[in-house]
Amino acid sequence: MSAKTPDAVSSRRILSIWLPAMAMDRWRNAGGDDRRALDSRPLVLIADTAHGPRIEAANSAGMAAGARRGMMLADARTLCPDIVTAPSDPAGDLAFLEKLAIWARRWGPWSAMDAPDGLLVDVTAVPHLFGGEEKLVADVEAAFARRELGLRCAIAPTAGAAWALSHFGPQGAILEGQGDFEARLADLPVAALRLDDDVLTVLRRLGLKRLGDLTGIENGGSGRDAIQRRFRNRKSPAANPLIRLDQILGRVPEPLLPVVPQHMPLVQRRLMEPIRHRQLLDKVVEDLAQDMARELEGRGEGARRLELGMWRVDGEVVVRRLEMASASREAAHICRLFAARLDDVDAGFGIEMLRLRASWSEPLALEQGDIEAAVETHGTSLSACIDRLTVRLGAKAVSRPVAFASHIPERAQRWQPPLDPEPASQGELAFHKRPLKMLDKPERISVLYATPDGYPKRFRWRGGVHEVTRVEGPERIAPEWWRERGSTRLRDYYRIEDDRGRRYWIYRLGIVGDGRGGAPDWYLQGLCA
């Protein structure tokens, strides 16, 4: 096979940025001087697992003491009993990496995340703006140094080659697209292929420890076929060394998902004089709501989640959030919802700036309604009513039941937000007759019957005795075998009517001789019309 890079790939330039200590650097920078004072002591970030705390990151002193990522905390304490621990924040690290990816677009037209601690930036036709690729790399290093983030970076024609050099090559490595492409990567370990740990173990057992060993076998003739047979069932790129090798050398494309920043609607007011009184605060919020309504109208959208930030004179920021049941850009409705959230705001020495942001918006078409019809149907819409109840009672206090595909009556419905679309249901369950009112939990009753498998004749419920005059049933419902244990008993449901004309829905749990317990129990679960 040819060792040269295709022309389309040789002209492309990808910048790979690896932040080996991103989680630790972010934790240290977020805490200020108090956390920086711990740099001289062994420190690890841990996450709880089923087998105990596990180390996710360690500082330099911790690594010198023997702590490593993936090690259990108990093992690390045997090496260093005085090690200091702090909880890790994977979600916060991912959000921080996403912000860095957007910020890294200063070096190229698009960037992508290489989770959990890397970035990829397309710098094709960009280096001349910085005076060359060497100066571009120097600018990247200086920019991250100002943020107190350690990094390793490299530039190569493919994303795989850039990743390999940033992780296993010299600092600031630059791989040109022309010349013997494979020879320059031959000394890198096979871990540079971004493979799973079990695949790396197999390659090392086969004696393939460097990329040169793999490419040498591949160029030998039948070597590629032998490797292909060995990993023929591995379809994922991370589990197939040949796919990763072709991606590094530019023989097959490697799709990347660029990070696209979302421009959220935002309006703000900088006040000439700080305000402390509620009446003035309501007026400013009303102005912001009107500005937000115009902003959303221009974008053809409606807000679902709004965040109101209030900057006090002493530097503290007070934030109030609300989420609406449906997209809206009605200024008066927004003001009414925020009015209930501002009662406990402490203005301190005064609020000097307010900012309203729509962190979640949805398309909302422009409409011109009939004036006469609007007068006749004037009132509070369902979504506005739900929003008011949610603000007063809480986000989880307002919900509605929806049908769920299950034969078990207490599982035949679930609760969801009021205006969310109903999930798909099974139509064959619609023919079953169900009582008008279902009890929260089936209540046990005492039943008198002629034979154990016969119809009930009399039952006692809540201290009263009821004579059964009419019986309809049984309707047998078997247990859900995929969810319940094998010892769960089946149910026989009856619709009965007592001597006073009242109708009930009862069931017998189990049958005589089913081998799953003693005598069957009876329960009342619903009241019929």
Side-chain angles (χ1 to χ4, degrees), residues 461-485:
W461 176 56
R462 293 183 178 179
V465 178
H466 303 264
E467 295 288 342
V468 179
T469 58
R470 298 179 60 185
V471 179
E472 179 183 348
E475 174 191 345
R476 178 160 293 181
I477 298 180
E480 296 178 339
W481 55 266
W482 61 91
R483 178 180 296 163
E484 299 173 320
R485 298 180 179 178

mmCIF file of all heavy atoms in Angstrom, residues 461-485:
data_model
loop_
_atom_site.group_PDB
_atom_site.id
_atom_site.type_symbol
_atom_site.label_atom_id
_atom_site.label_comp_id
_atom_site.label_asym_id
_atom_site.label_seq_id
_atom_site.Cartn_x
_atom_site.Cartn_y
_atom_site.Cartn_z
ATOM 1 N N TRP A 461 -66.095 -5.132 54.196
ATOM 2 C CA TRP A 461 -65.160 -4.061 53.801
ATOM 3 C C TRP A 461 -65.418 -2.831 54.659
ATOM 4 O O TRP A 461 -66.551 -2.352 54.753
ATOM 5 C CB TRP A 461 -65.331 -3.732 52.314
ATOM 6 C CG TRP A 461 -64.480 -2.596 51.834
ATOM 7 C CD1 TRP A 461 -63.129 -2.482 51.929
ATOM 8 C CD2 TRP A 461 -64.924 -1.404 51.176
ATOM 9 N NE1 TRP A 461 -62.687 -1.301 51.373
ATOM 10 C CE2 TRP A 461 -63.791 -0.618 50.897
ATOM 11 C CE3 TRP A 461 -66.184 -0.931 50.788
ATOM 12 C CZ2 TRP A 461 -63.871 0.616 50.272
ATOM 13 C CZ3 TRP A 461 -66.247 0.294 50.154
ATOM 14 C CH2 TRP A 461 -65.107 1.066 49.892
ATOM 15 N N ARG A 462 -64.365 -2.341 55.299
ATOM 16 C CA ARG A 462 -64.413 -1.146 56.140
ATOM 17 C C ARG A 462 -65.503 -1.260 57.215
ATOM 18 O O ARG A 462 -66.289 -0.329 57.439
ATOM 19 C CB ARG A 462 -64.621 0.106 55.301
ATOM 20 C CG ARG A 462 -63.438 0.451 54.394
ATOM 21 C CD ARG A 462 -63.657 1.739 53.641
ATOM 22 N NE ARG A 462 -62.487 2.063 52.804
ATOM 23 C CZ ARG A 462 -62.417 3.152 52.020
ATOM 24 N NH1 ARG A 462 -63.447 4.010 51.984
ATOM 25 N NH2 ARG A 462 -61.337 3.379 51.308
ATOM 26 N N GLY A 463 -65.588 -2.435 57.814
ATOM 27 C CA GLY A 463 -66.509 -2.639 58.919
ATOM 28 C C GLY A 463 -67.931 -2.951 58.542
ATOM 29 O O GLY A 463 -68.752 -3.238 59.427
ATOM 30 N N GLY A 464 -68.264 -2.927 57.264
ATOM 31 C CA GLY A 464 -69.632 -3.213 56.827
ATOM 32 C C GLY A 464 -69.703 -4.518 56.067
ATOM 33 O O GLY A 464 -68.757 -4.911 55.378
ATOM 34 N N VAL A 465 -70.843 -5.200 56.185
ATOM 35 C CA VAL A 465 -71.064 -6.465 55.494
ATOM 36 C C VAL A 465 -71.963 -6.206 54.298
ATOM 37 O O VAL A 465 -73.016 -5.551 54.420
ATOM 38 C CB VAL A 465 -71.703 -7.508 56.428
ATOM 39 C CG1 VAL A 465 -71.979 -8.808 55.677
ATOM 40 C CG2 VAL A 465 -70.798 -7.759 57.631
ATOM 41 N N HIS A 466 -71.585 -6.734 53.129
ATOM 42 C CA HIS A 466 -72.322 -6.491 51.893
ATOM 43 C C HIS A 466 -72.744 -7.831 51.301
ATOM 44 O O HIS A 466 -71.909 -8.729 51.105
ATOM 45 C CB HIS A 466 -71.441 -5.731 50.879
ATOM 46 C CG HIS A 466 -70.909 -4.423 51.386
ATOM 47 N ND1 HIS A 466 -71.517 -3.221 51.130
ATOM 48 C CD2 HIS A 466 -69.830 -4.151 52.166
ATOM 49 C CE1 HIS A 466 -70.824 -2.239 51.701
ATOM 50 N NE2 HIS A 466 -69.794 -2.781 52.343
ATOM 51 N N GLU A 467 -74.052 -7.959 51.028
ATOM 52 C CA GLU A 467 -74.594 -9.147 50.385
ATOM 53 C C GLU A 467 -74.479 -8.983 48.873
ATOM 54 O O GLU A 467 -74.908 -7.971 48.312
ATOM 55 C CB GLU A 467 -76.053 -9.353 50.783
ATOM 56 C CG GLU A 467 -76.254 -9.644 52.250
ATOM 57 C CD GLU A 467 -75.795 -11.038 52.636
ATOM 58 O OE1 GLU A 467 -75.642 -11.871 51.701
ATOM 59 O OE2 GLU A 467 -75.585 -11.294 53.836
ATOM 60 N N VAL A 468 -73.898 -9.951 48.192
ATOM 61 C CA VAL A 468 -73.690 -9.891 46.746
ATOM 62 C C VAL A 468 -74.930 -10.445 46.052
ATOM 63 O O VAL A 468 -75.349 -11.582 46.317
ATOM 64 C CB VAL A 468 -72.435 -10.688 46.343
ATOM 65 C CG1 VAL A 468 -72.245 -10.651 44.827
ATOM 66 C CG2 VAL A 468 -71.208 -10.136 47.055
ATOM 67 N N THR A 469 -75.518 -9.638 45.177
ATOM 68 C CA THR A 469 -76.709 -10.065 44.436
ATOM 69 C C THR A 469 -76.415 -10.363 42.974
ATOM 70 O O THR A 469 -77.085 -11.192 42.353
ATOM 71 C CB THR A 469 -77.796 -8.983 44.523
ATOM 72 O OG1 THR A 469 -77.274 -7.753 43.986
ATOM 73 C CG2 THR A 469 -78.219 -8.769 45.972
ATOM 74 N N ARG A 470 -75.431 -9.675 42.401
ATOM 75 C CA ARG A 470 -75.097 -9.903 40.991
ATOM 76 C C ARG A 470 -73.578 -9.955 40.860
ATOM 77 O O ARG A 470 -72.849 -9.210 41.519
ATOM 78 C CB ARG A 470 -75.666 -8.798 40.102
ATOM 79 C CG ARG A 470 -77.195 -8.707 40.122
ATOM 80 C CD ARG A 470 -77.675 -7.571 39.250
ATOM 81 N NE ARG A 470 -77.263 -7.737 37.849
ATOM 82 C CZ ARG A 470 -77.481 -6.827 36.898
ATOM 83 N NH1 ARG A 470 -78.088 -5.679 37.212
ATOM 84 N NH2 ARG A 470 -77.097 -7.050 35.668
ATOM 85 N N VAL A 471 -73.126 -10.832 39.972
ATOM 86 C CA VAL A 471 -71.695 -11.019 39.756
ATOM 87 C C VAL A 471 -71.428 -11.103 38.257
ATOM 88 O O VAL A 471 -72.180 -11.759 37.522
ATOM 89 C CB VAL A 471 -71.174 -12.291 40.449
ATOM 90 C CG1 VAL A 471 -69.685 -12.465 40.179
ATOM 91 C CG2 VAL A 471 -71.429 -12.245 41.940
ATOM 92 N N GLU A 472 -70.376 -10.431 37.822
ATOM 93 C CA GLU A 472 -69.933 -10.518 36.427
ATOM 94 C C GLU A 472 -68.432 -10.802 36.428
ATOM 95 O O GLU A 472 -67.645 -10.067 37.013
ATOM 96 C CB GLU A 472 -70.212 -9.204 35.687
ATOM 97 C CG GLU A 472 -69.749 -9.208 34.240
ATOM 98 C CD GLU A 472 -69.979 -7.881 33.553
ATOM 99 O OE1 GLU A 472 -70.708 -7.040 34.124
ATOM 100 O OE2 GLU A 472 -69.421 -7.675 32.458
ATOM 101 N N GLY A 473 -68.035 -11.864 35.781
ATOM 102 C CA GLY A 473 -66.628 -12.232 35.750
ATOM 103 C C GLY A 473 -66.457 -13.735 35.742
ATOM 104 O O GLY A 473 -67.428 -14.494 35.593
ATOM 105 N N PRO A 474 -65.219 -14.217 35.897
ATOM 106 C CA PRO A 474 -64.025 -13.411 36.193
ATOM 107 C C PRO A 474 -63.287 -12.928 34.944
ATOM 108 O O PRO A 474 -63.453 -13.491 33.863
ATOM 109 C CB PRO A 474 -63.149 -14.402 36.949
ATOM 110 C CG PRO A 474 -63.485 -15.734 36.335
ATOM 111 C CD PRO A 474 -64.942 -15.663 35.984
ATOM 112 N N GLU A 475 -62.460 -11.887 35.132
ATOM 113 C CA GLU A 475 -61.508 -11.412 34.127
ATOM 114 C C GLU A 475 -60.113 -11.725 34.678
ATOM 115 O O GLU A 475 -59.674 -11.118 35.647
ATOM 116 C CB GLU A 475 -61.658 -9.907 33.888
ATOM 117 C CG GLU A 475 -60.606 -9.330 32.955
ATOM 118 C CD GLU A 475 -60.620 -7.808 32.940
ATOM 119 O OE1 GLU A 475 -61.597 -7.199 33.409
ATOM 120 O OE2 GLU A 475 -59.623 -7.237 32.474
ATOM 121 N N ARG A 476 -59.457 -12.662 34.072
ATOM 122 C CA ARG A 476 -58.165 -13.118 34.595
ATOM 123 C C ARG A 476 -57.029 -12.270 34.017
ATOM 124 O O ARG A 476 -56.935 -12.075 32.796
ATOM 125 C CB ARG A 476 -57.957 -14.593 34.274
ATOM 126 C CG ARG A 476 -56.613 -15.163 34.730
ATOM 127 C CD ARG A 476 -56.669 -16.673 34.819
ATOM 128 N NE ARG A 476 -57.570 -17.128 35.879
ATOM 129 C CZ ARG A 476 -57.788 -18.398 36.183
ATOM 130 N NH1 ARG A 476 -57.168 -19.350 35.488
ATOM 131 N NH2 ARG A 476 -58.603 -18.740 37.163
ATOM 132 N N ILE A 477 -56.149 -11.798 34.905
ATOM 133 C CA ILE A 477 -54.978 -11.016 34.520
ATOM 134 C C ILE A 477 -53.745 -11.726 35.063
ATOM 135 O O ILE A 477 -53.601 -11.885 36.281
ATOM 136 C CB ILE A 477 -55.044 -9.571 35.054
ATOM 137 C CG1 ILE A 477 -56.260 -8.850 34.453
ATOM 138 C CG2 ILE A 477 -53.765 -8.810 34.733
ATOM 139 C CD1 ILE A 477 -56.408 -7.418 34.928
ATOM 140 N N ALA A 478 -52.878 -12.151 34.173
ATOM 141 C CA ALA A 478 -51.658 -12.854 34.573
ATOM 142 C C ALA A 478 -50.580 -11.849 34.959
ATOM 143 O O ALA A 478 -50.590 -10.695 34.523
ATOM 144 C CB ALA A 478 -51.180 -13.747 33.437
ATOM 145 N N PRO A 479 -49.621 -12.252 35.782
ATOM 146 C CA PRO A 479 -48.524 -11.346 36.155
ATOM 147 C C PRO A 479 -47.662 -10.987 34.945
ATOM 148 O O PRO A 479 -47.608 -11.728 33.949
ATOM 149 C CB PRO A 479 -47.720 -12.151 37.189
ATOM 150 C CG PRO A 479 -48.629 -13.251 37.624
ATOM 151 C CD PRO A 479 -49.525 -13.550 36.475
ATOM 152 N N GLU A 480 -46.997 -9.858 35.025
ATOM 153 C CA GLU A 480 -46.052 -9.443 33.984
ATOM 154 C C GLU A 480 -44.724 -10.137 34.273
ATOM 155 O O GLU A 480 -43.932 -9.699 35.103
ATOM 156 C CB GLU A 480 -45.908 -7.924 33.986
ATOM 157 C CG GLU A 480 -47.212 -7.212 33.624
ATOM 158 C CD GLU A 480 -47.086 -5.695 33.668
ATOM 159 O OE1 GLU A 480 -46.159 -5.200 34.344
ATOM 160 O OE2 GLU A 480 -47.906 -5.012 33.022
ATOM 161 N N TRP A 481 -44.483 -11.220 33.543
ATOM 162 C CA TRP A 481 -43.334 -12.079 33.839
ATOM 163 C C TRP A 481 -42.005 -11.357 33.657
ATOM 164 O O TRP A 481 -41.002 -11.722 34.269
ATOM 165 C CB TRP A 481 -43.390 -13.320 32.943
ATOM 166 C CG TRP A 481 -43.466 -12.997 31.471
ATOM 167 C CD1 TRP A 481 -44.581 -12.888 30.727
ATOM 168 C CD2 TRP A 481 -42.362 -12.742 30.598
ATOM 169 N NE1 TRP A 481 -44.280 -12.566 29.428
ATOM 170 C CE2 TRP A 481 -42.908 -12.473 29.322
ATOM 171 C CE3 TRP A 481 -40.981 -12.711 30.752
ATOM 172 C CZ2 TRP A 481 -42.116 -12.180 28.217
ATOM 173 C CZ3 TRP A 481 -40.187 -12.404 29.655
ATOM 174 C CH2 TRP A 481 -40.750 -12.156 28.409
ATOM 175 N N TRP A 482 -41.960 -10.334 32.778
ATOM 176 C CA TRP A 482 -40.692 -9.653 32.532
ATOM 177 C C TRP A 482 -40.354 -8.644 33.641
ATOM 178 O O TRP A 482 -39.252 -8.113 33.669
ATOM 179 C CB TRP A 482 -40.767 -8.917 31.195
ATOM 180 C CG TRP A 482 -41.844 -7.867 31.147
ATOM 181 C CD1 TRP A 482 -41.736 -6.550 31.467
ATOM 182 C CD2 TRP A 482 -43.212 -8.077 30.763
ATOM 183 N NE1 TRP A 482 -42.928 -5.912 31.305
ATOM 184 C CE2 TRP A 482 -43.863 -6.829 30.865
ATOM 185 C CE3 TRP A 482 -43.944 -9.182 30.335
ATOM 186 C CZ2 TRP A 482 -45.223 -6.665 30.569
ATOM 187 C CZ3 TRP A 482 -45.276 -9.008 30.037
ATOM 188 C CH2 TRP A 482 -45.901 -7.774 30.152
ATOM 189 N N ARG A 483 -41.302 -8.404 34.545
ATOM 190 C CA ARG A 483 -41.078 -7.412 35.591
ATOM 191 C C ARG A 483 -41.161 -8.017 36.988
ATOM 192 O O ARG A 483 -40.518 -7.533 37.917
ATOM 193 C CB ARG A 483 -42.101 -6.278 35.438
ATOM 194 C CG ARG A 483 -41.996 -5.203 36.504
ATOM 195 C CD ARG A 483 -43.052 -4.142 36.264
ATOM 196 N NE ARG A 483 -42.825 -3.445 35.010
ATOM 197 C CZ ARG A 483 -43.740 -2.714 34.391
ATOM 198 N NH1 ARG A 483 -44.954 -2.616 34.904
ATOM 199 N NH2 ARG A 483 -43.461 -2.089 33.263
ATOM 200 N N GLU A 484 -41.958 -9.052 37.172
ATOM 201 C CA GLU A 484 -42.211 -9.585 38.500
ATOM 202 C C GLU A 484 -41.538 -10.952 38.673
ATOM 203 O O GLU A 484 -41.115 -11.583 37.704
ATOM 204 C CB GLU A 484 -43.720 -9.703 38.723
ATOM 205 C CG GLU A 484 -44.436 -8.358 38.649
ATOM 206 C CD GLU A 484 -45.943 -8.490 38.701
ATOM 207 O OE1 GLU A 484 -46.467 -9.434 38.076
ATOM 208 O OE2 GLU A 484 -46.579 -7.650 39.342
ATOM 209 N N ARG A 485 -41.487 -11.390 39.907
ATOM 210 C CA ARG A 485 -40.905 -12.671 40.218
ATOM 211 C C ARG A 485 -41.834 -13.817 39.801
ATOM 212 O O ARG A 485 -43.026 -13.628 39.599
ATOM 213 C CB ARG A 485 -40.607 -12.770 41.714
ATOM 214 C CG ARG A 485 -39.598 -11.734 42.204
ATOM 215 C CD ARG A 485 -39.366 -11.891 43.690
ATOM 216 N NE ARG A 485 -38.376 -10.933 44.178
ATOM 217 C CZ ARG A 485 -38.008 -10.823 45.439
ATOM 218 N NH1 ARG A 485 -38.563 -11.625 46.372
ATOM 219 N NH2 ARG A 485 -37.102 -9.935 45.817
#
